[in-house]
Amino acid sequence: SKKAVVIGAGIAGIAAAIRLAVKGYAVEIFEVNTSPGGKLAEINKDKFRFDAGPSLLTLPQYIDDLFELAGKKPADYFEYQQLDVICKYFYADGTKLTAYADREKFEQEITTHTTENRDALRNQAAKSATIYELTSPVFLERAFGGLKMLFTKAGLKTLLNLEKLDATRTMHEANQQMFKDERMVQFYDRYATYNGSNPYAAPGTLNVIPHLEQGMGAYFPNEGMYAIITGLVKLAGELGIKFNYNSPVDEILLDGKTAKGVKVLGNVINADIVISNMDVWFTYNTLLKNHPKLHPQKTLKQERSSSALVFYWGINKKFSQLDLHNIFFSADYKAEFDQIWKEKNIYHDPTVYINISSKLRPKDAPPGCENWFVMIIVPSNSGQNWDEPVKAARANILTKLSGLLNEDVSKLIISESILDPRDIETRTLSYQGSIYGNSSNSQFAAFMRHRNQSAQIKNLYFCGGSVHPGGGIPLCLLSAKIVSEAI
Ligand code: FAD
């Protein structure tokens, strides 16, 4: 049978491997780290377990698809539940909101605690769903086909409804027109951060994101996020896919303009197909560094998405007012994004996200304790000095949380690990430590992502968060599907 080599065991790499194995390819994955998952990793420390990267699961059917494709029952590998409470929000002015999945309860909550009315919430939901219907079949679920794709039935529909995509103003401008209560503007602006963008620059089209969460549901894997990887690796093993760990790919081998294999630790591995799940910037600049003429310079120069600073805290107390997902907003959102995107610094009053998987999976923390994944958005790594700002951020986050929770949180931390943009860059070879590939801070960003099939090099394919259709688990899984269809 034909042989495919996958560079990297991130979620997209594993998904692409599964799809090709089902097609009959002999598939081998090379991963530089000692375990699979890439950014989707876990930390076990001091009797606490943390999901190290992604914490919010949307569109889980894309994971189920892989088990079904292989003729298996998804629930035998991976189980998840839909959340009734999507997220709890804490505002600087003391407002507290619970985002219920149930629309009636959600509307009741918002109209009780803010000055917003139901019509605005309903208009937002309808608009978000419309953008999804118009963009998903054309921009997300298929190979990027340039102008050609506009001449499909779905493409034509999108073309005829271009103004509904709201691409000519920013997300923030659109939300300001939609809502009269500033708290709702901030609530909906935050969705820009789901792909590492800035709501004051990203097009209104990104108002599609709330539909993925509020419209289609937020989910939690019963055994934590890392169970996604465990389940897929189990399936991959059954399909005969070979995983090689501690195995950095050093070079993609070309015969003229055709990929013919890879070099791993000095060994030549021949293949009919090479799929890179490695960040596209590093793929060209390290594995193809001897072929600068084949580099898509313009694509590689795109602005990167933001990065993250994460504190994994074992907390020696339980907080009944917190849920699985919790947001503590900054008082001045515009100033926060200006600091991140213009000054490329950490803001002194950051919006803090806390994920506590032990709320739904108690064994992730010892009795009486909780595992806090505490994340703020920070700029990507352009060589800033991070040490001092990270220390300052830790102090600012603790002051803020202690005030809002009426408890000296610093005294409750009994275990700690930290992840900053430099770690994200070195651990998963993510250019600049960006967590979602390119930013979507321009209306052209969707068109500028690297395609899933190399235009210059035959038999070379790309999947993962740094290429089309973009970052985040669902889009990474779609990239793998597009690669397999292209092959
Ligand atoms: P990656 O995870 O980037 O993995 C690439 C793999 O390739 C790595 O294992 C790396 O070691 C390996 N590799 C690289 N170079 C080589 C080489 N030369 N040889 C061999 N192996 C190599 N997404 C969501 O959907 N929801 C969330 O809530 C969410 N939150 C996030 C929070 C954080 C802190 C982070 C960091 C990310 C978050 N994301 C979230 C984004 C999500 O994690 C990523 O989009 C996704 O996991 C990327 O997967 P990938 O397939 O692109 O590969």
Side-chain angles (χ1 to χ4, degrees), residues 94-147:
T95 308
K96 294 183 185 121
L97 298 175
T98 300
Y100 295 99
D102 181 86
R103 280 311 285 188
E104 171 53 36
K105 266 171 96 175
F106 176 67
E107 289 176 6
Q108 182 70 42
E109 172 81 1
I110 302 303
T111 50
T112 307
H113 298 288
T114 75
T115 60
E116 206 55 73
N117 58 42
R118 282 174 196 264
D119 283 349
L121 295 169
R122 287 177 188 176
N123 289 341
Q124 194 290 326
K127 190 177 150 189
S128 191
T130 301
I131 303 177
Y132 180 74
E133 279 151 28
L134 291 173
T135 53
S136 178
V138 186
F139 294 106
L140 301 183
E141 286 168 22
R142 47 188 298 164
F144 196 89
L147 277 179

Side-chain angles (χ1 to χ4, degrees), residues 8 12 30-33 38-39 54-56 249 277-278 429 464-465 472-473:
F30 294 93
E31 166 58 53
V32 56
N33 287 325
K39 295 184 185 73
S55 54
L56 173 67
V249 173
N277 177 216
M278 183 186 192
L429 288 171
I473 295 169

Side-chain angles (χ1 to χ4, degrees), residues 7-13 30-33 37-40 52-56 247-249 277-278 287 308 310 373 375 424 427-429 435-436 464-465 471-474 476:
I7 306 165
I11 186 158
F30 294 93
E31 166 58 53
V32 56
N33 287 325
K39 295 184 185 73
L40 214 171
S55 54
L56 173 67
S247 302
V249 173
N277 177 216
M278 183 186 192
L287 309 192
V310 187
F373 165 107
M375 180 175 104
I424 297 174
R427 284 187 204 161
T428 55
L429 288 171
I435 61 181
Y436 298 102
I473 295 169
C476 286

Side-chain angles (χ1 to χ4, degrees), residues 372-397:
W372 286 18
F373 165 107
V374 180
M375 180 175 104
I376 63 169
I377 304 227
V378 302
S380 56
N381 180 25
S382 47
Q384 302 93 320
N385 167 21
W386 290 101
D387 292 336
E388 288 310 312
V390 166
K391 259 189 221 149
R394 185 183 187 277
N396 289 337
I397 291 169

Side-chain angles (χ1 to χ4, degrees), residues 56-173:
L56 173 67
L57 176 61
T58 52
L59 296 161
Q61 63 267 35
Y62 291 151
I63 301 169
D64 288 348
D65 284 351
L66 294 167
F67 299 110
E68 279 161 7
L69 194 70
K72 310 278 186 180
K73 206 168 125 217
D76 289 345
Y77 295 79
F78 168 62
E79 285 188 298
Y80 52 85
Q81 52 189 287
Q82 185 165 4
L83 302 177
D84 294 329
V85 169
I86 297 179
C87 185
K88 287 207 172 176
Y89 292 86
F90 300 79
Y91 288 78
D93 70 359
T95 308
K96 294 183 185 121
L97 298 175
T98 300
Y100 295 99
D102 181 86
R103 280 311 285 188
E104 171 53 36
K105 266 171 96 175
F106 176 67
E107 289 176 6
Q108 182 70 42
E109 172 81 1
I110 302 303
T111 50
T112 307
H113 298 288
T114 75
T115 60
E116 206 55 73
N117 58 42
R118 282 174 196 264
D119 283 349
L121 295 169
R122 287 177 188 176
N123 289 341
Q124 194 290 326
K127 190 177 150 189
S128 191
T130 301
I131 303 177
Y132 180 74
E133 279 151 28
L134 291 173
T135 53
S136 178
V138 186
F139 294 106
L140 301 183
E141 286 168 22
R142 47 188 298 164
F144 196 89
L147 277 179
K148 229 174 28 200
M149 73 190 178
L150 291 174
F151 296 102
T152 60
K153 201 170 157 208
L156 216 52
K157 189 171 164 211
T158 305
L159 203 59
L160 293 171
N161 286 282
L162 270 189
E163 84 289 350
K164 290 193 183 147
L165 297 186
D166 214 354
T168 55
R169 57 179 177 173
T170 68
M171 233 182 137
H172 176 72
E173 283 162 357

Side-chain angles (χ1 to χ4, degrees), residues 178-452:
M178 183 71 79
F179 300 108
K180 59 179 190 290
D181 193 305
E182 279 304 319
R183 288 165 294 191
M184 281 297 101
V185 176
Q186 189 170 24
F187 182 106
Y188 283 99
D189 277 356
R190 190 182 72 92
Y191 287 98
T193 66
Y194 282 33
N195 70 5
S197 301
N198 174 0
Y200 298 89
T205 318
L206 286 204
N207 281 317
V208 64
I209 298 173
H211 179 68
L212 303 182
E213 180 191 85
Q214 295 193 302
M216 303 178 83
Y219 297 83
F220 179 75
N222 296 357
E223 301 303 326
M225 294 297 284
Y226 196 65
I228 299 172
I229 295 300
T230 319
L232 290 177
V233 168
K234 182 173 170 222
L235 172 68
E238 289 167 6
L239 294 172
I241 295 165
K242 186 168 173 219
F243 287 81
N244 303 277
Y245 298 108
N246 297 308
S247 302
V249 173
D250 305 317
E251 194 181 342
I252 293 174
L253 302 169
L254 302 187
D255 181 0
K257 287 188 179 181
T258 302
K260 56 167 194 181
V262 293
K263 201 181 240 180
V264 185
L265 297 168
N267 299 315
V268 170
I269 315 287
N270 293 314
D272 300 289
I273 300 280
V274 175
I275 302 174
S276 178
N277 177 216
M278 183 186 192
D279 186 298
V280 65
W281 193 93
F282 278 115
T283 304
Y284 282 102
N285 285 289
T286 61
L287 309 192
L288 290 165
K289 64 172 184 292
N290 299 330
H291 305 276
K293 285 206 179 108
L294 299 177
H295 292 198
Q297 296 297 354
K298 228 171 121 189
T299 310
L300 299 181
K301 278 202 192 104
Q302 292 299 296
E303 178 187 60
R304 280 293 169 130
S305 78
S306 49
S307 187
L309 171 61
V310 187
F311 297 93
Y312 308 90
W313 286 334
I315 295 285
N316 191 12
K317 189 183 159 82
K318 285 189 161 178
F319 285 79
S320 58
Q321 67 270 52
L322 298 181
D323 208 273
L324 174 65
H325 300 288
N326 311 275
I327 287 291
F328 296 80
F329 272 127
S330 59
D332 187 342
Y333 222 21
K334 174 82 167 61
E336 182 178 1
F337 283 101
D338 279 349
Q339 189 76 17
I340 296 170
W341 287 98
K342 295 192 179 138
E343 307 302 324
K344 310 239 182 268
N345 277 329
I346 301 182
Y347 187 51
H348 66 85
D349 169 33
T351 296
V352 180
Y353 165 66
I354 307 184
N355 176 256
I356 311 174
S357 70
S358 65
K359 292 283 184 196
L360 293 185
R361 189 173 188 265
K363 62 180 155 189
D364 283 352
C369 300
E370 290 179 340
N371 64 339
W372 286 18
F373 165 107
V374 180
M375 180 175 104
I376 63 169
I377 304 227
V378 302
S380 56
N381 180 25
S382 47
Q384 302 93 320
N385 167 21
W386 290 101
D387 292 336
E388 288 310 312
V390 166
K391 259 189 221 149
R394 185 183 187 277
N396 289 337
I397 291 169
L398 283 169
T399 306
K400 176 174 178 137
L401 294 178
S402 299
L404 287 162
L405 293 169
N406 268 321
E407 180 88 42
D408 185 348
V409 176
S410 66
K411 292 216 171 79
L412 302 173
I413 300 173
I414 55 173
S415 171
E416 176 170 56
S417 318
I418 302 177
L419 180 83
D420 74 34
R422 292 168 301 189
D423 305 318
I424 297 174
E425 177 152 28
T426 50
R427 284 187 204 161
T428 55
L429 288 171
S430 205
Y431 182 49
Q432 296 182 351
S434 77
I435 61 181
Y436 298 102
N438 290 347
S439 82
S440 293
N441 289 341
S442 105
Q443 59 193 113
F444 305 109
F447 304 92
M448 296 297 294
R449 286 183 212 288
H450 196 285
R451 312 281 158 95
N452 303 103

